[in-house]
């Protein structure tokens, strides 16, 4: 696992509406919590709902169906879902008072983890559906319309991706010039702090043929940058065209051959699955961007062992050296948990020392949050919240210092930027550097989807500003 642990934070947990399906009929409001894989799942659910006659709405009051695609990584995220369900209960009552029906569904990891408990705590919910069964969503809604309360959380025997309708070219175009593509789901690592193996199941890899076909579809619709997703994405493995076993490095090489796909990324990785072929892909494939999210969680060997990470701090640092030797300009991103049960001041100092050694360009850091059913929740010596708070502030101050240094170091450099969308201010466009930094340019610099060469002129608090040098494609 690590994808949810990597990306989910308070901002992500606040939710974002997703999807633009264009079929006549009832309207769906779909709200997504958590990680990038949930965003991808929401898009695929939107595709399935479009085939079932639903169109999307960005206004919850207009919806006939409200679907919450949930995250269960942290207690705060799960409780926000229940708070949202309380508000939807009132909306459902308002609809009923004027003769309108409102169907409420909960999908994703909270649905998988809590199942019928959701119906007990929120009786106005009509549908609970887990992440392995969302291809059954139209059938589940048909059962709801017949008066059932539906809970679909059994792990599907069939391949859900084989049963999902393909997104239309129009929908892909509407989603922009970057896209996510799930290649792997689940996790077999069983880190003691993590609920993902219980909510997403064991590691499953999609086939090469499925992945290539979907990537080609994205490229044909104008997608320039593709991010491969998995809870433990570098554990992906499959059978290549000649019957050879492939890992993620070989898959990236195959995807780099697709015309139009000029940028490839992947997240989230586990250090134990970072093999030589994948490192070589960073060295040899220009399409693979020089940015790697490689969570470590702690710099203390004692805490890493308690977390069941199955690597030491020295193992991790040696791996970083190997990766940087292959790609000297690579930027590293990481995850950190402070206040894991039993963490002492010395353990925390070891984490700070590892951060100083690596100097992350970006990182996500959280206080330990016990999740029911995980071994960590039952451990002794839980750290007081006040200590967690103090440690988190110190860690985040150090990470922010390094992130600022990385941002400022870009000033004066020339780099390629993929223009993704209009800027907030008139006359601006926003692109993305190879290192995932937002870059603001004048709208005359190029069109959305162009990759241009720019020189970074200054660094703002959250983005870079640039002037074009020449077009690169």
């Amino acid at each position: 696992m690590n994808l949810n642990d990597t990306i989910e934070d308070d901002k992500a947990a606040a939710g974002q509406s997703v999807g633009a399906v264009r079929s006549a009929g009832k309207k769906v409001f779909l709200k997504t919590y958590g990680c990038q894989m949930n965003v991808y799942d929401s898009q695929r659910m939107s595709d399935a709902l479009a085939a079932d006659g639903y169109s999307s709405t960005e206004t919850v009051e207009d919806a006939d169906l409200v679907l919450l695609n949930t995250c269960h990584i942290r207690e705060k995220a799960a409780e926000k879902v229940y708070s949202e369900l309380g508000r939807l209960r009132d909306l459902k009552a308002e609809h009923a008072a004027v003769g309108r029906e409102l169907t409420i569904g909960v999908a994703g990891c909270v649905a998988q983890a809590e199942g019928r408990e959701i119906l007990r705590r929120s009786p106005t919910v009509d549908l609970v559906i887990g992440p392995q069964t969302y291809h059954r969503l139209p059938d589940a809604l048909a059962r709801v319309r017949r008066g059932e309360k539906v809970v679909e959380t059994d792990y599907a025997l069939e391949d859900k991706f084989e049963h999902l309708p393909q997104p239309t070219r129009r929908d892909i175009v509407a989603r922009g010039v970057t896209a996510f593509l799930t290649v792997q789901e689940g996790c077999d690592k069983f880190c003691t702090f993590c609920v993902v193996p219980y909510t997403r199941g064991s590691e499953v890899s999609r086939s090469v043929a499925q992945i290539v076909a979907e990537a080609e579809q994205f490229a044909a619709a104008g997608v320039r940058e593709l991010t491969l997703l998995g809870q433990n994405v570098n554990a992906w493995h499959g059978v290549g065209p000649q019957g050879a076993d492939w890992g993620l490095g070989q898959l990236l090489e195959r995807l780099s051959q697709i015309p139009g796909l000029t940028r490839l990324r992947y997240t989230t990785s586990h250090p134990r699955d970072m093999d030589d072929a994948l490192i070589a892909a960073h060295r040899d494939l220009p399409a693979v961007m020089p940015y790697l999210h490689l969570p470590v969680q702690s710099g203390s060997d004692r805490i890493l062992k308690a977390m069941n990470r199955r690597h030491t701090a020295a193992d991790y640092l040696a791996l970083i050296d190997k990766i940087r030797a292959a790609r000297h300009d690579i930027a590293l991103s990481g995850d950190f948990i402070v206040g894991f049960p039993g963490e002492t001041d010395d353990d925390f100092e070891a984490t700070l020392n590892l951060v100083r050694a690596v100097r992350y360009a970006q990182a996500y850091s959280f206080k330990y949050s016990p999740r029911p059913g995980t071994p960590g929740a039952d451990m002794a010596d839980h750290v007081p919240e006040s200590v967690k708070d103090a440690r988190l502030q110190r860690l985040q101050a150090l990470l922010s210092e390094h992130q600022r240094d990385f941002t400022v170091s870009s000033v004066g450099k020339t780099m390629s930027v993929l223009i993704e969308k209009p800027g907030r201010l008139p006359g601006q466009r926003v692109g993305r550097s190879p290192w995932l930094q937002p870059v603001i340019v004048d709208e005359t610099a190029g069109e959305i989807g162009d990759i241009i060469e720019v020189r970074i002129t200054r660094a703002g608090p959250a983005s870079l500003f640039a002037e074009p040098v020449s077009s690169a494609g």
Side-chain angles (χ1 to χ4, degrees), residues 257-373:
Q257 298 167 10
I258 297 175
L261 280 185
T262 54
R263 290 183 165 196
L264 296 171
R265 304 183 188 273
Y266 60 93
T267 194
T268 287
S269 302
H270 194 289
R272 291 179 56 234
D273 292 314
M274 197 77 198
D275 62 18
D276 289 345
L278 185 52
I279 295 173
H282 281 277
R283 180 192 65 211
D284 299 335
L285 301 177
V288 178
M289 293 293 97
Y291 183 93
L292 175 62
H293 188 77
L294 194 62
V296 62
Q297 309 300 352
S298 174
S300 162
D301 288 347
R302 195 177 69 83
I303 296 300
L304 288 169
K305 184 176 181 180
M307 289 177 167
N308 195 35
R309 293 291 290 174
R310 289 180 278 183
H311 62 77
T312 66
D315 294 335
Y316 182 85
L317 291 172
L319 179 60
I320 296 298
D321 288 342
K322 190 174 184 179
I323 293 165
R324 283 178 165 159
R327 183 70 192 257
H328 68 90
D329 64 340
I330 199 163
L332 275 301
S333 174
D335 290 350
F336 295 91
I337 294 172
V338 302
F340 189 78
E343 184 187 67
T344 65
D345 288 343
D346 287 345
D347 294 322
F348 177 66
E349 289 297 330
T351 296
L352 296 180
N353 288 336
L354 184 143
V355 169
R356 294 184 185 107
V358 176
R359 298 189 67 88
Y360 293 90
Q362 173 74 22
Y364 303 90
S365 52
F366 308 96
K367 295 184 295 183
Y368 172 69
S369 173
R371 305 312 296 129

Side-chain angles (χ1 to χ4, degrees), residues 2 186 266 319 350 398 419 422 426:
N2 284 314
Y266 60 93
L319 179 60
L398 180 61
I419 302 178

Side-chain angles (χ1 to χ4, degrees), residues 120-142:
R120 188 192 69 79
R121 288 185 61 175
S122 301
T124 52
V125 172
D126 303 291
L127 167 67
V128 178
I129 188 163
Q132 304 307 321
T133 50
Y134 61 70
H135 59 296
R136 299 176 184 170
L137 184 56
D139 289 339
L141 287 169

Side-chain angles (χ1 to χ4, degrees), residues 9-32:
D9 58 13
D10 286 345
K11 185 181 294 185
Q16 52 186 314
S17 57
V18 170
V21 293
R22 297 175 178 80
S23 293
K26 295 185 176 182
K27 295 181 179 180
V28 57
F29 178 88
L30 206 164
K31 187 170 185 177
T32 303

Side-chain angles (χ1 to χ4, degrees), residues 425-455:
L425 299 179
Q428 289 182 343
R429 289 212 165 99
V430 179
R432 193 75 60 172
S433 82
W435 300 278
L436 269 182
Q437 301 152 296
V439 180
I440 297 173
V441 296
D442 190 271
E443 65 180 357
T444 60
E447 299 299 323
I448 292 172
D450 287 347
I451 296 177
I452 63 172
E453 286 291 308
V454 303
R455 182 179 296 105

Side-chain angles (χ1 to χ4, degrees), residues 35-91:
C35 70
Q36 291 164 327
M37 186 173 284
N38 268 15
V39 175
Y40 174 85
D41 286 352
S42 290
Q43 291 170 346
R44 298 310 303 271
M45 282 191 281
S46 290
D47 298 332
L49 289 168
D52 197 40
Y54 284 88
S55 61
S56 72
T57 178
E58 299 297 319
T59 306
V60 66
E61 290 81 6
D62 293 340
D64 303 286
L65 166 65
V66 175
L67 193 60
L68 306 181
N69 190 12
T70 61
C71 173
H72 201 252
I73 283 300
R74 267 166 269 284
E75 182 178 7
K76 184 183 293 185
E79 288 305 315
K80 284 185 177 181
V81 172
Y82 282 108
S83 296
E84 184 73 19
L85 289 173
R87 291 187 286 270
L88 291 174
R89 175 195 61 209
D90 297 337
L91 181 63

